[in-house]
Amino acid sequence: MPQNLSDNTVNTGVIAAVRGSIVDILFSAQVPAIHNIIYAQNRSVTLEVVSQLSHQKVRTIALSPTQGLARGMVAEDSGGPLKVPVGPATLSRMFNVFGHVIDGKEFTTDMPSRSIHQSPPALMRISSQLQVFETGIKIVDVLCPLERGGKAGLFGGAGVGKTVLLTEMIHNMVSHQQGVSIFCGIGERCREGEELYREMKQAGVLDNMVMLFGQMNEPPGSRFRVGHAALTMAEYFRDDEKKDVLLLIDNIFRFIQAGSEVSGLMGQIPSRMGYQPTLGTELSSLEERIANTENGAITSIQAVYVPADDFTDPAAVHTFSHLSATLVLSRKRASEGFYPSIDPLQSNSKLASSSVIGDRHYSVAQQVRQILAQYNELKDIIAMLGLEQLSKKDRDIVMRARRLERFFTQPFFTTEQFTGLQGKFVTLEQTLDGCERILSGEYDDYPESALYMIGEISEAVNTQPKKPSQSSDEANHEH
């Protein structure tokens, strides 16, 4: 075994091979540890050790482009893993995987930095108490409650409101729960990052927020590590400042994709459907750090891309195993003007049981799902025969389901400047009260439009109720 170097001696090696993002380096004095950062080409190229091939040779993955590297060049061991800055000074800033600011402003504050490779909290520190994370968004809190310290998946295509929903949750976290929000873009288009930064600034939530991006054009090593960097920043706010953190990841599939690229470059034999054999371990090393401890909680909402809409794809299957709630955004609902466009029948949560959310909440949620499902089945009959052909009982179901659908729409704080409607934060108690009153028939005489884009149910009272015959005619006319 080579002798240890003295503290002031720099451990240098020579590049033996360059294959795209994979670089092999020979060290004569001391072989660097796994995860150590190695610099080459006057520190312009950053490499991370992923395996030790022999007592002298290491294989590294590049976190920055490798243009200009050649065999025989000198490489320098930094002696430690990749570190990112942590602390209050990171708030309102935008970083890359190295912890360098990319928002074009000065960043000279001296602050502590921490390794991005941290262990998940010990089992003894994890809180076993299931708590609901209240978002202030009616349809989420009633039908698919999120877990404090849990992970929720947000499934949806382009243009159905994923980003708007994420920004609203950031706003509510900052303004109502005095927490910190961290946005992590993995494999994001740089246009999306710039737009999000601008939207957050206009919405006034940037001051309690940190943004990190590993963009689409960056090497796979960079995209593979930016999630770990974001979690390190989140863990500081949870463990040191005892705050609740909302961590938004867009898109968790790109993390798996980057890992697959790294694995392929390393020459590992691919597993099922071409994915890396270490897929489960890599995803777990990231997801298990998101937890609820005695200090605070990191609650994560992750956008999930499902390849070719195949939910049996290994990437989707492994991601599902970590999630405690699933929010499915529907393009059909978005086109009908129902925002947030969450599909109430496809979305679900593991917390939606009477032992966690209580009997009243559970009962209301079940009744709402049941009446919406019945309305879904009656839609074909209404389209063919008309509403008047239904029985009185079925007409009541349709009327109440349509009013519930409209009650679940909500004006957002982050869209005030576009819609002209003042944003609403609605507590769970207010939402349950509204659902119960609609289900009991109290609002059957009110026009459907009275319940559209309001906050709590009492706001509908300001509208003049119509006669019962008119409201059924209105529903009939729309079909």
Side-chain angles (χ1 to χ4, degrees):
M1 182 76 191
Q3 294 294 309
N4 283 344
L5 295 163
S6 61
D7 291 343
N8 55 0
T9 313
V10 176
N11 186 19
T12 57
V14 175
I15 293 175
V18 182
R19 288 187 298 279
S21 289
I22 294 293
V23 181
D24 291 352
I25 306 171
L26 277 169
F27 285 86
S28 54
Q30 181 185 350
V31 67
I34 301 286
H35 296 322
N36 265 23
I37 289 295
I38 293 172
Y39 296 111
Q41 210 177 13
N42 297 325
R43 288 183 162 251
S44 64
V45 178
T46 307
L47 311 160
E48 184 184 74
V49 178
V50 279
S51 67
Q52 298 174 340
L53 301 178
S54 70
H55 68 286
Q56 285 188 315
K57 196 175 189 181
V58 293
R59 181 155 288 171
T60 66
I61 182 89
L63 302 183
S64 53
T66 54
Q67 281 90 341
L69 280 195
R71 290 171 64 186
M73 278 187 175
V74 174
E76 193 180 292
D77 178 16
S78 70
L82 183 63
K83 293 183 176 181
V84 290
V86 293
T90 58
L91 293 171
S92 82
R93 305 308 301 269
M94 193 194 277
F95 296 91
N96 62 12
V97 69
F98 306 110
H100 301 153
V101 287
I102 52 171
D103 53 15
K105 296 176 189 168
E106 285 295 315
F107 188 69
T108 53
T109 314
D110 292 326
M111 63 173 75
S113 59
R114 286 187 187 168
S115 162
I116 65 166
H117 301 282
Q118 304 285 346
S119 301
L123 281 174
M124 294 297 288
R125 286 185 54 220
I126 292 176
S127 171
S128 58
Q129 189 182 355
L130 285 175
Q131 292 172 287
V132 174
F133 175 80
E134 199 171 315
T135 61
I137 298 166
K138 291 183 281 194
I139 191 166
V140 175
D141 289 343
V142 170
L143 296 180
C144 27
L146 306 186
E147 181 191 346
R148 182 174 174 265
K151 295 164 273 266
L154 195 59
F155 299 81
V160 291
K162 278 201 306 289
T163 305
V164 173
L165 196 58
L166 290 180
T167 52
E168 184 68 5
M169 286 180 177
I170 291 168
H171 181 279
N172 291 354
M173 176 73 177
V174 170
S175 57
H176 290 272
Q177 304 193 25
Q178 282 74 52
V180 173
S181 296
I182 294 181
F183 184 93
C184 175
I186 304 177
E188 281 280 271
R189 298 166 187 84
C190 54
R191 166 184 64 79
E192 289 175 337
E194 191 273 334
E195 282 174 5
L196 188 71
Y197 181 80
R198 211 156 11 93
E199 283 168 16
M200 292 296 159
K201 201 169 184 176
Q202 287 172 344
V205 298
L206 201 60
D207 290 345
N208 281 293
M209 189 176 171
V210 187
M211 298 170 84
L212 286 98
F213 287 97
Q215 291 168 14
M216 202 177 257
N217 60 328
E218 292 180 25
S222 170
R223 285 177 273 130
F224 189 51
R225 287 296 179 223
V226 74
H228 298 277
L231 262 164
T232 302
M233 291 187 177
E235 284 165 344
Y236 168 85
F237 288 109
R238 178 190 67 190
D239 299 335
D240 293 44
E241 300 222 347
K242 311 274 192 289
K243 285 185 176 177
D244 278 4
V245 182
L246 181 63
L247 174 67
L248 302 134
I249 300 175
D250 189 10
N251 191 305
I252 198 68
F253 174 75
R254 305 281 176 218
F255 167 76
I256 294 169
Q257 210 173 29
S260 180
E261 287 180 52
V262 169
S263 174
L265 290 165
M266 292 279 294
Q268 292 175 342
I269 297 168
S271 176
R272 189 167 152 248
M273 290 178 69
Y275 285 100
Q276 62 271 40
T278 50
L279 166 60
T281 321
E282 287 168 2
L283 189 62
S284 299
S285 70
L286 187 75
E287 298 277 14
E288 289 302 303
R289 288 168 66 181
I290 302 167
N292 180 3
T293 69
E294 72 271 13
N295 294 326
I298 298 175
T299 304
S300 174
I301 298 166
Q302 308 170 4
V304 185
Y305 167 71
V306 181
D309 290 339
D310 176 17
F311 283 88
T312 63
D313 187 274
V317 169
H318 279 88
T319 306
F320 270 123
S321 66
H322 291 281
L323 301 177
S324 56
T326 307
L327 304 176
V328 179
L329 297 183
S330 154
R331 191 171 299 282
K332 186 172 182 296
R333 287 181 68 80
S335 67
E336 290 170 359
F338 295 131
Y339 285 104
S341 57
I342 293 167
D343 190 316
L345 299 176
Q346 282 190 288
S347 305
N348 57 62
S349 167
K350 288 177 183 171
L351 265 69
S353 66
S354 55
S355 58
V356 178
I357 57 177
D359 292 333
R360 180 196 174 204
H361 184 168
Y362 179 72
S363 168
V364 170
Q366 290 300 95
Q367 285 177 60
V368 167
R369 278 184 193 279
Q370 191 178 2
I371 204 166
L372 290 174
Q374 286 173 309
Y375 172 46
N376 225 25
E377 288 168 10
L378 291 167
K379 276 181 180 174
D380 288 344
I381 299 170
I382 298 167
M384 287 187 290
L385 304 174
L387 191 70
E388 62 277 1
Q389 298 300 319
L390 297 178
S391 66
K392 171 77 171 75
K393 185 185 173 192
D394 283 350
R395 270 208 302 273
D396 285 346
I397 286 171
V398 170
M399 242 160 49
R400 285 167 198 174
R402 289 174 66 84
R403 278 160 179 73
L404 277 169
E405 280 187 333
R406 279 148 185 78
F407 178 59
F408 280 138
T409 61
Q410 188 169 342
F412 281 173
F413 292 99
T414 47
T415 56
E416 278 179 8
Q417 57 204 3
F418 309 114
T419 62
L421 298 170
Q422 190 186 349
K424 309 280 185 195
F425 181 97
V426 188
T427 65
L428 178 60
E429 184 60 38
Q430 290 169 335
T431 310
L432 291 176
D433 178 53
C435 291
E436 283 172 340
R437 289 166 73 176
I438 292 171
L439 289 166
S440 69
E442 191 179 322
Y443 284 83
D444 287 0
D445 295 349
Y446 283 74
E448 292 169 2
S449 56
L451 298 165
Y452 181 69
M453 282 292 169
I454 61 169
E456 54 181 299
I457 195 77
S458 60
E459 292 177 30
V461 179
N462 301 330
T463 313
Q464 186 64 34
K466 293 184 180 179
K467 291 174 185 173
S469 59
Q470 281 181 285
S471 64
S472 58
D473 286 345
E474 182 188 20
N476 190 19
H477 174 68
E478 283 201 31
H479 281 282

